[in-house]
Structure formats: C-alpha cells, structure tokens
Amino acid sequence: MTRLSRHDLSLPAGVRAPSYDLRDVTVGIVHLGVGAFHRAHQAVYTDAVLAADPTWGISGYTQRSATVRDQLAPQDGLYTVLERGAGAAPPRVIGALREIRTQDEDGGPAARIADPRVRLVTLTVTEKGYRPDSPAVGRLVAGLELRRRADAGPISVLSCDNLTANGATLRGRVAEHCAGLPDGDRLLDWIGTSVAFPSCVVDRIVPATTAADRAVVTAALGVCDEGAVVAEPFSQWVIEDTFAAGRPAWDATYTTDVAPYEAAKLRLLNATHSLLAYTGALAGHDTIADTMTDPVLADAAHRLMTEDAAPTLTLPDGFDLPGYQDSILRRFADPALGHRTTQVAADGSLKLPIRLLGTARDRLVAGATPQWTALAVAAWMVYVATHQPVDDPLAETLAAATAGRSKPADLVDSLLPVFPEDLGPSWRGLLIEHTARLLHN
C-alpha cells in the first residue's frame, strides 16, 4: 500500500493535516531520543506553532536503534497521532519532524547543534540517558563544543524526562562530562554565559502502538503510516521560562518555579503508575486499566496519593489537589489506551528512587508509616524476582542479586543496595511485610 508522504496530503475528511507548507519549515530544534513520547507530546506542541513561525522545525535523532528512522524517513517525517479514550480528537498528521536520523548518520547530532539557526536542543532519553555511562550527554557536549568553536550563539537545552529538577540535573551531567575534556574549562565558561537549562514537566500517556492501531490509522488515512503513535487526549507541559535564544510559542504553562508541579507529577501520577504496574502484573493483569478494575489495587492507588504522597507536597497556588488525583485515576482506568503493565514496569531500578523514595523518606521523617509507597517498592522487588528477565539497565545485576532468594527478608536485603539511600530499619520492615504477603498470594 502507498505510504504517507508530503507529496500527497489530500487526506480524507476527519483527518487533520498540517496547516502549513512543509517546504517553508526550517530546523530550529535538535531533539535527542525520537521515541513515541516525543512524537505524541513535544512534536505535537511544536507542530501547532509552525504556521505562525516555521523556523522551529525539528531535526530528530534516534537514541538506540534505527527503527524510528526507517519508519519515518520514507514518509518525509510525517506520522499520525491517534488519540484513544473519552474526548479523543480525530487523527492528526504531524509534520514538525523535518529530519530524522540515527546518532551515527551525517556525523551525528553535534554538527546540527552547532548550526546557528538551531536555538534549542530537547531530550527524551529516559532516566537511563542521564547515567554516567550513557552516550546521550556526551553527544550533547560534543555539539555544544562545536557550537562554541563556531561562535554560533547562545542556545537552550530542555530536558523533557521524568527527573527531579531535570534542567539542573542535565546541567550537572554536562559539567561532569566537561571536566574530563582537555578544553573542558573553556567550554564550561562558555556554557555558563551562553546556554540555558530550563526545567519542565511533561505528562501524556503514550502506550506502545500495536498492529491494530496502525490498521485503524490506515483505514482513516487511506495510506499506510508505519510511524503512527497512540496517546490519550490529555496532555500537559509546564516549563520554566528561562531560555537563552528564544523559544517556540508552545501552548504550555510557563512558570518561574517548576518544582511544585514536578513533585506533584512524580509523587502522585508516576508513583501511582508504578504501583499499579507492579501489583497489576503480579496479579495477572495485562494493562493498567485492567488493574484499576481490581478494587483492592485501585484503593491502594488512591491511598498512595492521599495518605502517603499528598502530605509531602507544597503545591502551587490554586492547585486543585482532589481534582488532580481524581483525574489521574480516571486516566488510568480508561480501557481505550491499553497501556500494558510491563511497559510501565520497565527500568524500575531508575524510576523508583525518583518516583517513590522521596515520599517514603519524607513520611518516615515525619513519623508516619508510608504503607502504600512500601507496597509499590515491595511489588517491584517481587516482580524482579519472578519475572526474569526484566527490562531494566541493571537486569543482570538484579537477576544475580535475587537468584535463590525465596525468603522475604533475603529478597529485600538483596535489592535494597540498588537504591541510593538507606531509609532505615522501619522501612526495611515494611518492605519485608509486604514482600511476604505478595510472595504468598
């Protein structure tokens, strides 16, 4: 069947095509990590501004495999966003990705970052992209060094990953990398005056695209789209408005302090998502929505938010906490998305410290008992021990640590060293209690 292409965008009624001429769009953004989330979130926001300002097209680089490049390059970077769930909009073809390459093509992203027409680098490289052994930061630094040498002007670098203070975290990783370079001091001085690292919070559920989803898109478009992505109707972007070289006029929430929004999202939404993923998988549920039909697990999700996480938060003025919590549970319960528990469960060794351990620490310091947070961590421990091999950057380490550990205390003690801090004997006791129950269910 004919592939989606810029040469024929006479799409059927009911499908939204780009409202601008693709030939007018120039690249102003380099994006590292062109996965489904970026295509369903930041690229959609960017697509909406190109009719008014076509200088913000995206040059996207895949992080690992060439799969996304192979899907999108034959389609001139075009792809469809298919919303599922209550209030879903019609299918929408996105044209913001004007280039799509692997990290090794045309010298990688460094030369593109050095282009003076580029004013922004964005990243969705997941939590593991910020580890010391990840190549993502090195590629970014190489681009910044080329830009400095070319005197190409200031630039902003915007992390769109689920990290605490993601802008400051990325700045720190960049500084660490520069420290190991021969001319690192000079580069760091230039970065200090010419590069901004705003923080942001991103939110949209983007399940893996299935063959059935692609069939729906093909039927709607009348052409084949190998790069289609699926998303819920809800989307949010909160951005610290500190840019060094301008920014697109995204329809986002701009603020001087992202931290309260970030804490609410990580400790309420992301933490509860992890709880449902691990407890749901252990109970035999295939999707998050299936897990929400289990009254015991749905209650645990509600109580993690209200009893554990909410007391630790300092919220922005006017923030509707009960409404936000209710909206999270409604989104998770929507069966239209089909978000698999195993997809959410991936990379737990990196996600749990960011999503759960801060809540546990704060509640323990307050003299409270973080029961539901402990349940989530214990469920991860049992999941790791019973679902080998797990999708995790520490998969081999986790497998070795849990091998032959059938007693709850042994299992807990084998995995506690994975986390960066020791929360004490009462925390260990909670984990053993929950682990014992989960192992014998």
Side-chain angles (χ1 to χ4, degrees):
M1 176 177 276
T2 303
R3 294 281 288 275
L4 179 63
S5 167
R6 66 182 175 86
H7 298 296
D8 183 10
L9 281 175
S10 55
L11 300 172
V15 177
R16 183 176 171 184
S19 60
Y20 48 86
D21 190 329
L22 295 172
R23 294 169 296 184
D24 294 337
V25 178
T26 57
V27 169
I29 301 172
V30 170
H31 182 78
L32 308 182
V34 186
F37 184 81
H38 169 70
R39 286 178 281 149
H41 190 275
Q42 297 99 45
V44 174
Y45 281 82
T46 303
D47 193 79
V49 308
L50 292 179
D53 187 352
T55 67
W56 288 109
I58 301 170
S59 176
Y61 288 83
T62 64
Q63 184 64 11
R64 292 182 291 273
S65 75
T67 300
V68 176
R69 189 275 315 272
D70 294 344
Q71 290 171 338
L72 295 183
Q75 301 178 179
D76 301 305
L78 297 167
Y79 63 92
T80 308
V81 175
L82 177 66
E83 291 187 4
R84 289 199 178 279
R92 176 178 174 181
V93 174
I94 302 297
L97 272 170
R98 299 318 315 132
E99 298 170 352
I100 178 72
R101 300 185 174 112
T102 66
Q103 296 286 351
D104 300 322
E105 286 183 279
D106 299 328
R112 211 66 178 100
I113 292 172
D115 186 333
R117 293 170 296 180
V118 169
R119 289 156 284 164
L120 177 62
V121 179
T122 55
L123 299 88
T124 49
V125 294
T126 74
E127 293 88 345
K128 58 189 159 192
Y130 300 82
R131 298 174 67 203
D133 60 349
S134 169
V137 173
R139 290 167 178 150
L140 170 62
V141 170
L144 294 177
E145 172 64 356
L146 283 181
R147 189 176 185 91
R148 179 188 73 82
R149 293 186 180 188
D151 195 22
I155 192 169
S156 302
V157 181
L158 180 63
S159 167
C160 301
D161 288 297
N162 287 323
L163 301 168
T164 302
N166 51 16
T169 298
L170 180 55
R171 179 189 286 274
R173 296 292 181 268
V174 166
E176 290 168 5
H177 194 90
C178 290
L181 299 178
D183 210 14
D185 289 344
R186 184 175 298 179
L187 176 57
L188 268 178
D189 288 343
W190 177 82
I191 288 172
T193 59
S194 302
V195 184
F197 291 85
S199 290
C200 78
V201 179
V202 295
D203 188 5
R204 194 174 205 186
I205 296 174
V206 182
T209 306
T210 66
D213 296 325
R214 283 187 282 271
V216 170
V217 170
T218 296
L221 271 61
V223 292
C224 178
D225 179 0
E226 293 293 337
V229 293
V230 177
E232 65 172 332
F234 178 89
S235 183
Q236 181 187 44
W237 202 357
V238 181
I239 306 174
E240 181 186 10
D241 201 3
T242 53
F243 288 77
R247 59 163 172 79
W250 291 312
D251 184 19
T253 298
Y254 296 97
T255 180
T256 58
D257 186 8
V258 168
Y261 298 93
E262 170 192 274
K265 197 247 178 173
L266 289 172
R267 295 191 178 195
L268 296 173
L269 186 144
N270 294 125
T272 306
H273 220 186
S274 290
L275 168 70
L276 292 169
Y278 298 119
T279 58
L282 293 176
H285 296 300
D286 186 53
T287 68
I288 297 295
D290 289 342
T291 305
M292 285 292 294
T293 65
D294 185 322
V296 173
L297 301 185
D299 180 64
H302 173 74
R303 297 179 74 173
L304 181 140
M305 289 193 289
T306 58
E307 297 178 16
D308 284 4
T312 72
L313 299 174
T314 301
L315 297 168
D317 291 341
F319 193 97
D320 180 6
L321 178 60
Y324 184 62
Q325 292 168 335
D326 289 344
S327 72
I328 289 170
L329 296 178
R330 284 197 304 272
R331 291 163 63 194
F332 289 165
D334 191 337
L337 282 175
H339 205 185
R340 296 175 66 86
T341 53
T342 52
Q343 182 184 356
V344 182
D347 299 339
S349 68
L350 298 178
K351 291 177 178 176
L352 267 61
I354 299 168
R355 299 179 175 194
L356 290 158
L357 295 194
T359 294
R361 180 185 59 250
D362 289 350
R363 295 303 282 153
L364 290 166
V365 168
T369 302
Q371 283 284 359
W372 311 104
T373 306
L375 172 61
V377 176
W380 171 77
M381 290 177 165
V382 176
Y383 179 84
V384 165
T386 59
H387 286 69
Q388 291 291 338
V390 292
D391 184 358
D392 194 288
L394 297 182
E396 292 183 5
T397 299
L398 298 175
T402 58
R405 307 279 186 171
S406 58
K407 294 181 179 180
D410 290 344
L411 179 57
V412 169
D413 289 341
S414 73
L415 290 174
L416 273 177
V418 169
F419 299 130
E421 58 183 318
D422 182 355
L423 297 182
S426 62
W427 173 246
R428 175 179 178 271
L430 282 173
L431 294 176
I432 292 172
E433 177 185 329
H434 284 300
T435 299
R437 182 175 58 79
L438 292 167
L439 282 171
H440 293 99
N441 274 355

